[in-house]
Amino acid sequence: MAKLQKPKFAYMGGKIRSWDEATLHVGCEGVIRCAHVFEGVKGYWQPDGKFGIVMLRQHYERLCRSSRLLHIPFSHTYDDFKSAIYELIGLLLEPDRDMWARPTLFAIEGHWGEDTVSDLVVTAFHQDKQLPQSINLGVSTWQRSSDVSLPSRVKTGTNYQVGRLAKIEGRRHGCQDMVLLNQWGRVAEATGSCLLIVREGVVCTPPVTEGALESITVDIVEALAHSLGVKFDRRPIDRSELLVAEEIATCGTLCEVTLVKSIEGIPLVNDGSILESLQNSYHQAVRGIVPHSFVELSYLPSKLVSVKTG
Ligand code: PMP
């Protein structure tokens, strides 16, 4: 299991700071009530030497929606948000390593939602370039909370408590990730990604109303599937369908399209499969090898790239 990286810098309070300086007060609501919302965005080196961040505007828009739902004010314009991410990534970039950034909006002042003041904090980490390894997937006994307890469309750390418990449970059974069911016992999503299954040649994923995040990667995969002539359906998925699915993958910004090699200990065959083709199309689109019109890339201005790319 990879350790959490400790990069040199983070963005906080409107400027770049050293990692050790980027701290929150123990009394703020961001800490004591986990009042924060966040995003995970990913950037890839492109064949022409540029560095492209995938669907940055869509991530900004989801952060705005999450902040509205949790009453955490967010005053950054898209341009402010983009500049903060560009500045930090520009400082941390290394040749030939991709990066993911975590912009988080913390409640740093206020009490029980009154007089809330927020701060945008950005951290960013390096990632290797290889395709994600196939995983063993289990089904957790922990459940995604319902829309009236903690809406899954809010991307907040609190929603990841259940995912954390599910991961701990999964490790006991040799599973790298776990499916979370919803309050009706149907498939919601995985701990930090959405779920795709193939039934009779159709790629299916549960709609957001089944307890999944409004995923940007699922939207990309849907567009790629259409281009490949593969049918794509957003519909409720029973737990038992996982066991009879032809193929399964998890899908999200960080895990991209990660193929599942076994579900609850039952092996799945992935060679030459539909999801493997989608995994490759995704890989090629975000890395600009075979660009796709749906996949928007925001390029880091070259003046901000401090790394020597040769
Ligand atoms: N569900 C959860 C719980 C997640 O953390 C993520 C990753 N952000 C996703 C789904 C997939 O969302 P996206 O494709 O926008 O990364």
Side-chain angles (χ1 to χ4, degrees):
M1 175 63 68
K3 287 225 173 75
L4 186 68
Q5 293 169 28
K6 197 176 157 183
K8 270 192 182 155
F9 305 108
Y11 176 96
M12 187 175 195
K15 61 177 193 179
I16 298 288
R17 292 161 194 269
S18 73
W19 179 262
D20 290 334
E21 241 189 302
T23 55
L24 288 171
H25 196 275
V26 289
C28 76
E29 281 210 300
V31 172
I32 59 172
R33 281 187 261 284
C34 199
H36 74 252
V37 289
F38 74 102
E39 277 302 314
V41 305
K42 185 113 192 245
Y44 299 89
W45 285 107
Q46 306 289 306
D48 58 5
K50 288 188 185 158
F51 190 80
I53 302 177
V54 181
M55 308 293 260
L56 192 55
R57 183 178 288 280
Q58 289 76 1
H59 283 282
Y60 171 77
E61 285 166 0
R62 190 170 61 190
L63 190 61
C64 291
R65 294 197 296 275
S66 294
S67 71
R68 201 176 317 142
L69 278 159
L70 290 198
H71 303 272
I72 301 176
F74 185 30
S75 55
H76 282 65
T77 62
Y78 175 59
D79 282 343
D80 296 340
F81 173 80
K82 193 167 69 173
S83 304
I85 292 178
Y86 281 179
E87 194 181 356
L88 183 67
I89 288 189
L91 277 171
L92 295 174
L93 261 184
E94 288 181 4
D96 283 335
R97 289 183 86 192
D98 298 325
M99 294 207 78
W100 77 275
R102 181 186 163 116
T104 309
L105 195 64
F106 283 102
I108 54 164
E109 278 179 39
H111 193 53
W112 288 115
E114 269 187 314
D115 305 322
T116 308
V117 176
S118 70
D119 186 32
L120 178 71
V121 177
V122 188
T123 48
F125 307 93
H126 295 109
Q127 288 228 314
D128 291 328
K129 282 172 120 178
Q130 72 270 19
L131 277 175
Q133 301 279 301
S134 301
I135 57 166
N136 298 314
L137 190 69
V139 180
S140 180
T141 54
W142 297 99
Q143 260 183 14
R144 196 30 97 228
S145 54
S146 75
D147 192 61
V148 290
S149 350
L150 190 55
S152 55
R153 58 163 59 75
V154 188
K155 197 161 164 62
T156 171
T158 324
N159 254 334
Y160 290 78
Q161 296 301 334
V162 171
R164 181 172 177 273
L165 291 171
K167 285 260 201 198
I168 291 169
E169 182 181 26
R171 278 200 288 276
R172 284 204 303 271
H173 304 289
C175 293
Q176 289 80 34
D177 205 354
M178 297 294 270
V179 174
L180 295 170
L181 303 177
N182 60 25
Q183 76 260 42
W184 304 289
R186 292 190 295 266
V187 173
E189 57 179 353
T191 58
S193 52
C194 286
L195 212 75
L196 306 171
I197 69 166
V198 177
R199 297 278 335 256
E200 294 175 351
V202 180
V203 178
C204 308
T205 194
V208 173
T209 46
E210 290 288 302
L213 185 72
E214 295 178 341
S215 161
I216 295 160
T217 317
V218 168
D219 292 345
I220 296 179
V221 168
E222 184 175 26
L224 295 172
H226 285 151
S227 300
L228 290 175
V230 171
K231 282 202 184 124
F232 193 96
D233 195 6
R234 295 182 191 242
R235 63 152 176 87
I237 294 178
D238 281 332
R239 178 193 177 143
S240 56
E241 288 194 273
L242 293 175
L243 300 177
V244 293
E246 290 127 52
E247 305 169 33
I248 305 180
T250 59
C251 164
T253 301
L254 259 81
C255 72
E256 305 182 355
V257 176
T258 295
L259 303 176
V260 170
K261 59 184 176 193
S262 78
I263 174 77
E264 296 204 291
I266 301 172
L268 287 153
V269 181
N270 283 307
D271 281 357
S273 64
I274 293 175
L275 293 179
E276 196 182 28
S277 311
L278 283 169
Q279 183 187 55
N280 280 324
S281 299
Y282 186 85
H283 179 88
Q284 293 179 328
V286 292
R287 286 168 178 79
I289 301 164
V290 182
H292 190 281
S293 57
F294 189 83
V295 180
E296 289 171 30
L297 295 170
S298 305
Y299 299 108
L300 212 68
S302 51
K303 64 178 185 327
L304 288 178
V305 181
S306 59
V307 69
K308 299 243 179 320
T309 50

